[in-house]
Amino acid sequence: MAAGDPVVMSRYTFLADEQPVMLSTSWEPLDLTRGTPVMFPEEGPHAGAGVVARMRVIGQHIESVQEVVTARPVLQSEAEPLGEALGSVVMVIQRTYRTAERAVETADIVVPTDRYEVEYVLPVE
């Protein structure tokens, strides 16, 4: 995806024990999904199936997922939905799913740092 390309943007608020724990905004390229049964991630026969399963439906095989983790102050638009005070620090996970040829979905995931941690387990060959 390049800047300015048409995309479908989806926004999510994830809950645990009925409390908001994470925000996510994702983008998928319309030139890939337009007119397919997976065009809207939360509608149609594959609603909520996840990126890998949805892309498989349209012949896209995910080969990698890249995550870049940073931290920054919570934005005003994020503070209230997360129940965080302005000035609190959040982790931002920039996640991109890729086929061999292209990015098929990217998301910015916002997680409060004072209540959660990110853990990675990576296989070693």
Side-chain angles (χ1 to χ4, degrees):
M1 286 183 284
D5 286 351
V7 297
V8 170
M9 181 179 73
S10 302
R11 293 181 191 226
Y12 303 93
T13 300
F14 294 88
L15 306 176
D17 298 325
E18 299 182 27
Q19 298 298 314
V21 295
M22 180 170 54
L23 304 176
S24 177
T25 304
S26 68
W27 299 269
E28 295 179 356
L30 262 175
D31 71 328
L32 181 64
T33 62
R34 182 181 280 121
T36 72
V38 301
M39 182 173 164
F40 299 106
E42 299 303 323
E43 296 180 16
H46 306 286
V51 175
V52 174
R54 287 179 44 257
M55 291 300 158
R56 192 174 297 131
V57 168
I58 60 170
Q60 300 297 309
H61 175 73
I62 304 300
E63 290 195 0
S64 66
V65 180
Q66 177 184 15
E67 291 189 342
V68 177
V69 181
T70 58
R72 62 162 168 75
V74 69
L75 301 177
Q76 187 167 3
S77 61
E78 300 161 342
E80 185 177 338
L82 287 172
E84 290 289 308
L86 284 176
S88 298
V89 176
V90 292
M91 286 180 283
V92 178
I93 304 166
Q94 190 176 55
R95 178 183 297 157
T96 302
Y97 288 86
R98 295 180 179 281
T99 65
E101 295 81 32
R102 66 182 301 173
V104 298
E105 192 255 18
T106 192
D108 288 342
I109 302 162
V110 179
V111 183
T113 59
D114 61 340
R115 294 178 279 171
Y116 304 97
E117 62 186 19
V118 176
E119 177 182 330
Y120 291 92
V121 177
L122 304 170
V124 175
E125 295 181 25

